[in-house]
Amino acid sequence: MFIIVTGANGQLGKSIRSLVEKQKKSHSFVFVTKDQLDLSSPSNIQNYFEANKFDLIINCAAYTAVDKAENFQEEADMINHIAVKKIAEIANSNNIKLIHISTDFVFDGLKHKPYFESDACSPLNVYGKTKLEGENAILSIMKFNATIIRTSWVYSEYGNNFVSTIIKLTQKNNNLNIVFDQVGTPTYAGDLGQAILNIIKNKKFNEPDRVTGIYHYSNEGECSWYDFAKEITNISGYKCTLSPINSEDYPTAARRPRNTIMSKDKISKEFGLKIIFWKDSLKYCMKNLSTLSPLNKE
Ligand SMILES: NC(=O)c1ccc[n+]([C@@H]2O[C@H](COP(=O)([O-])OP(=O)(O)OC[C@H]3O[C@@H](n4cnc5c(N)ncnc54)[C@H](OP(=O)(O)O)[C@@H]3O)[C@@H](O)[C@H]2O)c1
């Protein structure tokens, strides 16, 4: 397959590129950054895919600034919804497969058990709403050949994320307050990237006219942001006292769901994926972080 990966400068895009570079190649990959393919213009997307032909699009690009999106709704909608709609139209009319990444923030977090793919969506913030619109656009345009993967709490060796932020803050501070009443599951982008690479090798994924579906993927287990930060400091060894606080004591522009733990049964059964426990992947990523990878230096 000839495969394009958008969002090549993002956490997931970089993670997939790093995995592809290390592994035996059974497909050809093209990784595109915003400079090479700007998704903010549908005509730009159209022109790009008229000039460049692919068998599979892996869309890792997104407007991911959750709080900023509250004031830049149009910009977020353009990347997370309008561009996704355009990509789905192009994929549908050219028989291109699509893997699109979505978010746990499509849920309102009021469920007290893990979310299934069939659960009702009711996003609390602009980011979640625009991502849900993107999902719905794919579902209405592509009856076949699209795979939507919702993920949560993504971190990696690249860019700014919760892990790198906590490491920096615990280096500089003696005390930190961390939100305790939002629970979910961290996702190491390297694991999600590997899951995507395994999925595209899977026989079921490659069946002609496979019915479009939504899947959940994160690491295994569950924690609060406080538990997550605690584990980061346990591994790093930085001496900093962490105190649990409620969301009300840490006001943000965007409201966030209280629970976004997701069931991974569907994705693991359908594609035979083994999902790693979140603390094990965190340890692995933090070990890599201590010896900066060449990609991170770019
Ligand atoms: N991060 C999380 O915690 C999280 C949680 C749930 C779901 N997700 C989803 O997982 C996917 C991957 O997330 P991530 O953490 O890898 O995000 P990320 O690190 O923020 O990367 C997103 C990428 O999209 C690119 N992008 C933004 N606007 C663009 C445009 N107009 N044209 C082309 N590219 C554009 C960005 O380019 P620049 O680098 O040039 O800005 C960036 O490289 C996204 O779909 C996201 O919604 C993420």
Side-chain angles (χ1 to χ4, degrees):
M1 278 194 288
F2 202 34
I3 302 170
I4 179 169
V5 180
T6 65
N9 265 340
Q11 298 196 79
L12 183 57
K14 280 189 172 178
S15 300
I16 295 176
R17 185 160 61 168
S18 164
L19 290 163
V20 165
E21 282 169 359
K22 280 184 217 144
Q23 293 171 8
K24 214 178 110 213
K25 285 166 197 60
S26 40
H27 301 292
S28 299
F29 284 83
V30 171
F31 291 88
V32 287
T33 64
K34 192 158 131 188
D35 290 344
Q36 291 155 315
L37 171 56
D38 188 346
L39 299 180
S40 61
S41 146
S43 62
N44 193 33
I45 302 172
Q46 180 75 39
N47 294 340
Y48 184 89
F49 284 101
E50 271 169 18
N52 301 279
K53 300 293 172 203
F54 300 97
D55 303 302
L56 167 65
I57 301 168
I58 304 178
N59 186 29
C60 302
Y63 188 103
T64 54
V66 175
D67 289 309
K68 200 172 159 196
E70 295 297 305
N71 293 320
F72 291 89
Q73 184 153 358
E74 214 175 297
E75 285 83 349
D77 190 67
M78 187 54 82
I79 314 305
N80 294 344
H81 167 211
I82 305 298
V84 175
K85 182 168 177 263
K86 187 72 198 171
I87 289 171
E89 284 165 357
I90 292 166
N92 195 51
S93 47
N94 293 282
N95 206 21
I96 305 171
K97 288 185 169 57
L98 171 64
I99 295 180
H100 173 73
I101 313 302
S102 192
T103 174
D104 57 333
F105 279 12
V106 295
F107 296 118
D108 60 17
L110 297 177
K111 196 177 173 187
H112 294 289
K113 286 182 176 167
Y115 278 97
F116 294 110
E117 288 80 353
S118 52
D119 281 327
C121 294
S122 179
L124 298 179
N125 55 45
V126 167
Y127 167 75
K129 280 180 195 149
T130 59
K131 292 291 288 186
L132 181 60
E133 298 267 330
E135 285 188 8
N136 288 339
I138 295 173
L139 294 177
S140 68
I141 295 163
M142 297 181 77
K143 298 295 167 220
F144 305 101
N145 296 326
T147 305
I148 298 167
I149 303 176
R150 291 184 187 139
T151 189
S152 59
W153 298 23
V154 178
Y155 68 92
S156 67
E157 293 87 350
Y158 314 111
N160 292 320
N161 54 64
F162 188 74
V163 175
S164 58
T165 303
I166 292 296
I167 291 173
K168 275 181 223 143
L169 289 175
T170 50
Q171 273 173 328
K172 290 188 202 139
N173 297 280
N174 294 325
N175 299 288
L176 279 182
N177 294 333
I178 313 283
V179 169
F180 183 69
D181 59 354
Q182 289 170 26
V183 293
T185 313
T187 304
Y188 171 47
D191 290 342
L192 174 56
Q194 188 57 58
I196 292 170
L197 295 179
N198 291 345
I199 288 170
I200 66 178
K201 279 189 218 147
N202 191 283
K203 215 173 131 196
K204 275 199 189 138
F205 178 81
N206 290 294
E207 280 168 2
D209 288 342
R210 202 181 130 260
V211 174
T212 289
I214 298 178
Y215 299 84
H216 289 169
Y217 184 93
S218 66
N219 280 114
E220 209 47 86
E222 55 197 66
C223 63
S224 67
W225 290 109
Y226 169 79
D227 302 324
F228 192 8
K230 266 273 190 213
E231 192 60 22
I232 295 165
T233 50
N234 284 346
I235 298 169
S236 73
Y238 293 125
K239 299 277 172 259
C240 176
T241 305
L242 303 182
S243 306
I245 56 163
N246 289 320
S247 306
E248 288 75 29
D249 298 322
Y250 186 75
T252 52
R255 282 177 71 205
R256 283 165 169 78
R258 291 294 167 98
N259 165 38
T260 62
I261 299 162
M262 299 187 291
S263 164
K264 273 79 64 181
D265 285 358
K266 186 179 172 188
I267 201 165
S268 54
K269 277 189 195 137
E270 190 154 334
F271 299 112
L273 300 179
K274 199 171 162 282
I275 301 182
I276 302 170
F277 185 56
W278 70 271
K279 286 188 185 180
D280 295 332
S281 291
L282 178 62
K283 240 177 259 162
Y284 178 85
C285 175
M286 287 182 66
K287 201 170 153 215
N288 286 346
L289 265 177
S290 62
T291 51
L292 271 187
S293 83
L295 273 175
N296 214 25
K297 289 178 186 157
E298 279 174 11

